[in-house]
Amino acid sequence: MTAGAAAASAAGPGSAPNDGGAAASPLEVLAQINDLDVRLDQITHHVRNLPERETRAGIEAELGVLASEAKALDAQIADLERQQRRHEDEVARIEAKRAHNSERLYDSHLTSPKEAEALTAEADALGRHQIQIEDQILELMEELEPLTGTRADLGQRQSAAAERMATVDAAIEAAESEAGSERDEVLEGRAALVASAEPALVSIYEDRRAAARGTPVLGRLIGLTCSACHLEVPSVDYERITNLDPSELAECPHCGALLVR
């Protein structure tokens, strides 16, 4: 949509088209500027309230929960793996000690029966202790197995949520880009209208718009109705307003908006 088309569309019912070479009245130009300002506000509101933003917030919350679960699970898995490594290191030390004792036991230089008996007893004790430690390792492995499965499933859920987030972010970026293009076009049209408008009227309009903080500052008198507040102007005020010079400013007695008639 071109900026001119946006102004014509925003003007709505009751606005007179500028046909042929007939110049729009100063107040009508002001109304067209206002129409474009309304459109700019609509674009801003649309971008801020994209439904994808709510979707994104939901995914972000989901990712936060999954991250917390993953952190707790990772800590639990890491603790069990540390215990397993410690036990495995102990088994390695036991095996090394048993191997050393075995060498000594079958060493041809070993002649003391008591020393041989002590080595045999120590080997038996080390063997029993090794079995105990290996049983503990098996218990840890059994405890780890479901946790690692749960962690893998959690990782898949995180990846799926991240993919959904990327899709939503792309949709938001596309919507923002489209809105930005329209905003630039509307601003270009607005600048052209401001350049053709009476500076004094534009100054009054801008001051009112700044003070109004989003409430309508300009409306068209459509029949007896003010398009800014949608209330009927009393007949006495209507007669007074319609009898004013076309360039003279008039306000709605209800909302105070400048009236284009």
Side-chain angles (χ1 to χ4, degrees):
M1 178 184 291
T2 64
S9 174
S15 60
N18 184 10
D19 54 354
S25 69
L27 287 179
E28 179 56 37
V29 174
L30 202 63
Q32 291 175 12
I33 294 173
N34 180 74
D35 292 335
L36 292 183
D37 284 335
V38 169
R39 182 58 192 149
L40 289 171
D41 289 341
Q42 291 172 341
I43 294 171
T44 299
H45 181 271
H46 170 69
V47 170
R48 287 177 179 171
N49 296 277
L50 289 170
E52 289 85 357
R53 295 196 189 281
E54 185 175 353
T55 301
R56 189 187 194 284
I59 298 173
E60 190 172 21
E62 179 185 353
L63 283 170
V65 172
L66 292 175
S68 297
E69 292 179 2
K71 183 178 180 181
L73 197 55
D74 287 341
Q76 189 176 1
I77 291 172
D79 180 60
L80 292 174
E81 288 177 339
R82 279 194 298 272
Q83 294 182 52
Q84 181 178 339
R85 286 194 299 272
R86 187 171 66 250
H87 289 330
E88 289 172 345
D89 290 344
E90 187 172 358
V91 167
R93 287 193 296 271
I94 291 172
E95 288 178 339
K97 179 67 173 177
R98 292 180 67 187
H100 175 70
N101 286 353
S102 179
E103 289 178 3
R104 290 182 59 199
L105 185 62
Y106 294 104
D107 190 342
S108 59
H109 296 92
L110 181 65
T111 59
S112 171
K114 287 186 177 181
E115 186 177 359
E117 184 178 348
L119 288 173
T120 301
E122 184 179 9
D124 291 341
L126 288 172
R128 289 192 298 271
H129 185 52
Q130 181 175 341
I131 290 173
Q132 292 176 348
I133 300 301
E134 288 174 342
D135 286 344
Q136 292 176 3
I137 291 174
L138 288 175
E139 291 174 1
L140 288 170
M141 292 174 65
E142 289 175 356
E143 191 174 350
L144 273 167
E145 185 176 359
L147 294 179
T148 53
T150 300
R151 184 62 181 88
D153 178 67
L154 189 58
Q156 291 178 352
R157 290 163 60 193
Q158 286 177 301
S159 296
E163 288 178 5
R164 286 188 279 119
M165 177 73 87
T167 299
V168 170
D169 282 343
I172 291 174
E173 184 178 355
E176 288 177 337
S177 177
E178 183 179 355
S181 297
E182 184 180 358
R183 183 185 292 110
D184 291 343
E185 191 175 0
V186 172
L187 286 171
E188 183 180 353
R190 187 186 192 279
L193 286 172
V194 169
S196 68
E198 292 187 6
L201 287 179
V202 173
S203 179
I204 292 171
Y205 167 76
E206 296 288 12
D207 288 344
R208 284 182 172 237
R209 181 171 167 80
R213 297 182 181 179
T215 59
V217 297
L218 187 146
R220 287 181 171 82
L221 189 59
I222 305 172
L224 294 174
T225 303
C226 167
S227 67
C229 63
H230 306 291
L231 296 176
E232 283 194 1
V233 175
S235 57
V236 174
D237 291 311
Y238 177 81
E239 291 296 332
R240 176 181 57 80
I241 291 171
T242 54
N243 286 324
L244 291 173
D245 184 272
S247 62
E248 191 172 351
L249 295 178
E251 294 181 349
C252 171
H254 298 295
C255 65
L258 296 174
L259 283 176
V260 178
R261 65 274 179 195

